[in-house]
Amino acid sequence: AAQAAIAQDSSTQDSSAPDSSAQKPSPLEIALTGGDDYEILCAVGVAQASAFEAAAQAAGAPVTRIGLVRAEPGVDFVDAAGAPRAFARGSFSHF
């Protein structure tokens, strides 16, 4: 049976009672066991993209190209056909 780590919000714990056995999970552990759905985002050089996609397919891990990193500052959004897209709001902020 699979086991999952449970992360507790330290703001709800009694700070007067230290728990030396509690250890904050790593970001990787949270991503892999936190219960939310995550996608892994990575950057692969243009020259290696085809080999990366082939290796991912052979491993049964679907990948999707979502963008291109370039030296110029800023972000341009385009649709599947390459036409520019504009949005009324900026990106989501958790803070």
Side-chain angles (χ1 to χ4, degrees):
Q3 295 180 348
I6 299 173
Q8 292 182 336
D9 182 354
S10 61
S11 66
T12 63
Q13 295 177 351
D14 180 4
S15 60
S16 66
D19 182 4
S20 61
S21 65
Q23 189 174 20
K24 185 176 180 180
S26 71
L28 178 62
E29 184 177 34
I30 292 169
L32 296 176
T33 65
D36 293 328
D37 293 330
Y38 291 92
E39 297 276 346
I40 304 297
L41 177 66
C42 67
V44 177
V46 173
Q48 294 82 26
S50 293
F52 177 82
E53 290 171 333
Q57 183 178 11
V63 295
T64 303
R65 290 184 190 204
I66 62 167
L68 177 68
V69 177
R70 59 178 194 223
E72 298 83 20
V75 176
D76 296 322
F77 292 98
V78 296
D79 64 17
R85 293 284 315 263
F87 301 97
R89 300 183 325 172
S91 63
F92 178 79
S93 174
H94 292 277
F95 307 100

